[in-house]
């Protein structure tokens, strides 16, 4: 296997083709990971969630990361890590345009509301919120079999 | 879809059947995620890595998490998150037994050395290290279609 770095275009290609990733946030030095669905648009990853631990943590500390990978045949793989900043798109005056944009991007894809948007039935009653990750740094690697 | 919590036995079952997960660590409030291969044994997740960012970060802050998921047919999924503590198994007197045990567990599985153990070729020369995550908390969820 030969491992090489991905350039910015290759990182974006993986973020576009793989709309499922893992979001990392942290609180008091304890990291937390959840699977999310997202859509890349410019310098943003758009997503949404129910209220819960990850939203509380990201409000308290907006430094987050999103990791995406893809495993191919013959043990080939690609992985991208995005460092970014959490930005909530609140349901308030002044945010309608950004929220509508997020909705328009996310609603194009089937299953976009899972699993980040679903909670155990016992918790019920929470409302969804839209957010985006401002991409600040993006790196990736690829492993390919040597011919 | 109905979302339910997994009990401890169900969490362990997923950690046993899915030896590929995402490790989260953090430094100064910035989380970081990398895919890893691991083997569950008792209260430990055994794994190994080349030297690099995640090892440096985990040495500085041993609070880590490991997230594992599995996606089935008809949008069904399971996801487990482990909170734990990084413990290095150094190549020194007093650690041989634990290192041999880690090796014996990990070497049973094909591909266990990827991708956590491989780096871009330009970096070369780094040596592998064994480590384990002491599981301190483990929770999980499952989504199933309603019959």
């Amino acid at each position: 296997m030969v491992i090489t770095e991905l350039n910015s275009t290759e990182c974006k290609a993986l973020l576009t083709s793989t709309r499922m990733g893992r979001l990392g946030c942290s609180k008091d030095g304890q990291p937390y990971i959840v699977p999310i669905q997202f859509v890349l648009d410019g310098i943003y990853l758009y997503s949404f969630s129910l209220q819960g631990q990850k939203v509380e943590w990201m409000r308290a500390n907006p430094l987050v990361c999103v990791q995406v990978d893809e495993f191919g045949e013959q043990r080939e793989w690609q992985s991208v890590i995005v460092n970014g900043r959490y930005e909530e798109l609140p349901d308030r005056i002044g945010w309608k345009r950004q929220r509508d944009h997020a909705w328009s991007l996310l609603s194009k894809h089937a299953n976009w509301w899972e699993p980040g948007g679903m909670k155990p039935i016992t918790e019920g009653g929470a409302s969804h919120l839209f957010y985006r990750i401002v991409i600040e740094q993006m790196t990736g690697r690829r492993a390919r079999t040597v011919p």
Side-chain angles (χ1 to χ4, degrees), chain A:
Chain A
M1 303 293 282
V2 175
I3 315 286
T4 52
E5 302 279 350
L6 298 180
N7 64 32
S8 167
T9 305
E10 292 165 332
C11 288
K12 283 184 183 170
L14 188 63
L15 291 170
T16 303
S17 64
T18 314
R19 282 184 298 272
M20 156 89 196
R22 276 83 189 174
L23 172 76
C25 51
S26 73
K27 183 184 177 185
D28 301 332
Q30 174 64 59
Y32 179 58
I33 299 174
V34 278
I36 62 162
Q37 306 258 359
F38 63 84
V39 174
L40 171 69
D41 185 51
I43 59 162
Y44 301 108
L45 301 178
Y46 284 89
S47 188
F48 92 113
S49 171
L50 284 182
Q51 301 284 345
Q53 178 178 330
K54 74 168 176 289
V55 172
E56 285 161 27
W57 285 29
M58 292 192 296
R59 282 175 176 163
N61 172 18
L63 297 179
V64 300
C65 67
V66 176
Q67 186 266 336
V68 167
D69 48 43
E70 186 183 70
F71 294 84
E73 294 183 359
Q74 296 182 302
R75 309 184 316 184
E76 295 190 335
W77 53 264
Q78 293 184 73
S79 176
V80 166
I81 179 92
V82 167
N83 284 350
R85 191 167 285 272
Y86 172 73
E87 234 179 52
E88 207 162 309
L89 306 177
D91 190 9
R92 289 202 303 267
I93 293 170
W95 290 92
K96 187 176 185 315
R97 202 166 138 190
Q98 285 93 326
R99 280 176 62 87
D100 287 351
H101 184 58
W103 170 260
S104 122
L105 290 169
L106 290 160
S107 60
K108 285 177 190 158
H109 306 289
N111 299 339
W112 62 272
W113 55 89
E114 298 171 28
M118 296 188 82
K119 282 286 172 74
I121 43 178
T122 49
E123 294 183 26
S127 64
H128 287 93
L129 66 83
F130 290 94
Y131 65 92
R132 63 187 179 189
I133 309 298
V134 190
I135 300 175
E136 297 186 336
Q137 196 186 22
M138 188 168 60
T139 58
R141 288 178 185 166
R142 168 192 291 141
R144 279 186 171 159
T145 49
V146 184

